[in-house]
Amino acid sequence: MAEVPAALRRPAPLPHRYRALARRVRSLLRRLWPTTVRARATAGAVLVVAAALALASVALLGLLRSGMLRNAERDAEEQAAAIAQLAAGGRLDRMRAPLHGADFVQVVNARGRVLRATPNLAGLPALGPVGSPRPGTAFHTWRLRPLGGEHRQRVVQVTTQTPDGLVTVYVGTSLRDVDAADDTTTAALVVGGPLLLALVALVTWRVTGRALGPVEAIRAEVAEISDRDLHRRVPVPPTGDEVARLARTMNRTLDRLESSGIRQRQFIADASHELRSPLTVLRTQLEVALAVRDPELWPELISGALEDTDRLERLCSDLLLLARIDAAQPAHSVRLDLGGLVRDAVDTRLGDRVPVRVDAEDGVVVEGSELWLTRVVTNLLDNAQRFAAGGVELTLRAWGPPAARTAVLEVHDDGPGIPPADRERVFERFTRLDDARSRDDGGAGLGLAIARDLATHHGGTLTAGESPAGGARLVLRLPVATPAPVTG
């Protein structure tokens, strides 16, 4: 059997103890990793400041060292140039003791013999070779034990041509001040850096805690709010910042939830009341039919029971439709001619008490559910005919620019009209402005509410106003569908 190449072999698994160690390390890192926003913000601030402090410290030490070294070199270079000028003129005997800024001077010829030296270098050999065979200046950093090995010396080497040949001048200056400043600055950074990081951590921890305190109060309050406590609100801090805006937004959300809960409970109560009335009448009629032994009265009793059954059926259908609308269940949407839909809806209403006159524009195309839009038109006509005295008028027009046209459907009647104070209330569920007459006619106060909800579902609006005849004027507005693209 051929041997598998080494490059294709799988690496040998780690021993069990190494895998266990790796798991322990990962577990330790997960435990040490900050889990709260406050801890992560503090750790992030400390890391950023530490990185900035490290870079600033390196830059500061570098600038300090280079500046002081440049000053030391300048003084030593000036003296070395002066001595080299004396050597070039053959006047080394006029060399004086080193001035301020230089610790020693040594002059060496091309053969390495010391020509001149300061007393602190007396008897010592040449510090170095002549160096470059051409005149020039060089810089070195040495430790000279006779001058104290604990401090470095910055040596300026100047080579010049003299009548006796090349001569090299060494002028050294101590880096004692440079080293002392370097040590002092390093010590200050070593001590002050951790203190600064500790201060940054403390300030960030306190500031973050104060900033997140209202957030924790909001969280604790929301955690205690149940479906029975929707009246409670979260505290709004007086800071006016993002947390305050968050608290106000949360309170507005709680307002909407409370309103939704109130509407839901009111809806359940109204629905129960509306269902109880026909059920009570139906039960009464059945009990009377059961108690009456005369067969001639049974058809009348059964007819009344069937009427109440129809009323229950219509009410249940309306409630189911409202539940579908509230659940935002999508309906099959198509492009349809709203004018044709309106005429079809009116043509099916045979034998109505009040006639309906239709004035509908052709070519008003909208997108939506044919069933639901027919229900909107039917509900508007039912409401108008219930209160009209002699006639109902329905008009349909399209208004606006070609790119944003709006279909406007208006239903007018000549009845008593809707008072201005009730023109929004009529669209609430189970609302009757004339409770006795509406109940006798079989209405439950859901027609206009369903019509507005369906209009909103189709991206439109439904409003109430006053007709020219003094009655009610209901206006339905729907967006007109954009023209379909023409394919060649």
Side-chain angles (χ1 to χ4, degrees), residues 4-5 10 18 40 51 61 64 66 91 113 123 154 157 185 208 261-262 270 374 402 409 412:
V4 179
R10 293 183 179 178
Y18 293 132
R40 286 197 295 267
L61 289 175
L64 180 63
S66 62
R91 295 173 294 175
R113 187 169 66 86
R154 187 63 172 174
Q157 173 186 333
T185 305
T208 308
I262 293 175
D270 293 338
T374 303
L409 186 148
H412 304 261

Side-chain angles (χ1 to χ4, degrees), residues 166-198:
L166 289 176
V167 171
T168 302
V169 179
Y170 296 100
V171 177
T173 180
S174 176
L175 297 181
R176 181 185 300 106
D177 295 339
V178 177
D179 293 339
D182 196 0
D183 295 340
T184 302
T185 305
T186 302
L189 292 175
V190 169
V191 175
L195 294 179
L196 178 61
L197 292 179

Side-chain angles (χ1 to χ4, degrees), residues 12-234:
L14 293 175
H16 178 71
R17 60 178 180 274
Y18 293 132
R19 291 199 299 270
L21 179 61
R23 286 195 298 269
R24 285 197 294 270
V25 171
R26 287 195 297 268
S27 177
L28 179 61
L29 291 177
R30 282 196 297 268
R31 286 197 299 268
L32 294 178
W33 184 257
T35 56
T36 62
V37 175
R38 189 179 187 183
R40 286 197 295 267
T42 303
V46 170
L47 289 177
V48 171
V49 173
L53 184 61
L55 294 176
S57 300
V58 172
L60 176 63
L61 289 175
L63 292 175
L64 180 63
R65 186 181 297 110
S66 62
M68 298 189 69
L69 187 62
R70 193 180 304 112
N71 293 334
E73 289 175 351
R74 185 176 61 251
D75 295 339
E77 187 177 4
E78 290 176 356
Q79 295 198 31
I83 296 174
Q85 187 176 3
L86 292 176
R91 295 173 294 175
L92 277 177
D93 53 347
R94 297 183 181 181
M95 188 184 75
R96 302 179 182 276
L99 301 177
H100 176 73
D103 289 350
F104 66 87
V105 176
Q106 188 182 68
V107 183
V108 182
N109 61 9
R111 294 183 295 275
R113 187 169 66 86
V114 178
L115 301 181
R116 289 287 187 277
T118 53
N120 52 3
L121 292 183
L124 294 179
L127 296 179
V130 175
S132 174
R134 293 177 298 180
T137 303
F139 299 92
H140 308 281
T141 302
W142 294 334
R143 289 185 182 273
L144 302 179
R145 292 187 179 279
L147 299 179
E150 68 277 4
H151 295 293
R152 298 173 299 161
Q153 298 287 331
R154 187 63 172 174
V155 180
V156 180
Q157 173 186 333
V158 178
T159 302
T160 184
Q161 185 68 38
T162 66
D164 297 330
L166 289 176
V167 171
T168 302
V169 179
Y170 296 100
V171 177
T173 180
S174 176
L175 297 181
R176 181 185 300 106
D177 295 339
V178 177
D179 293 339
D182 196 0
D183 295 340
T184 302
T185 305
T186 302
L189 292 175
V190 169
V191 175
L195 294 179
L196 178 61
L197 292 179
L199 180 61
V200 169
L202 178 61
V203 172
T204 306
W205 182 266
R206 296 292 299 274
V207 171
T208 308
R210 290 177 63 87
L212 295 178
V215 177
E216 177 61 23
I218 293 173
R219 186 207 62 80
E221 183 66 22
V222 172
E224 295 180 359
I225 296 177
S226 63
D227 56 346
R228 303 292 183 182
D229 301 325
L230 292 178
H231 62 279
R232 299 174 59 175
R233 297 295 180 264
V234 299

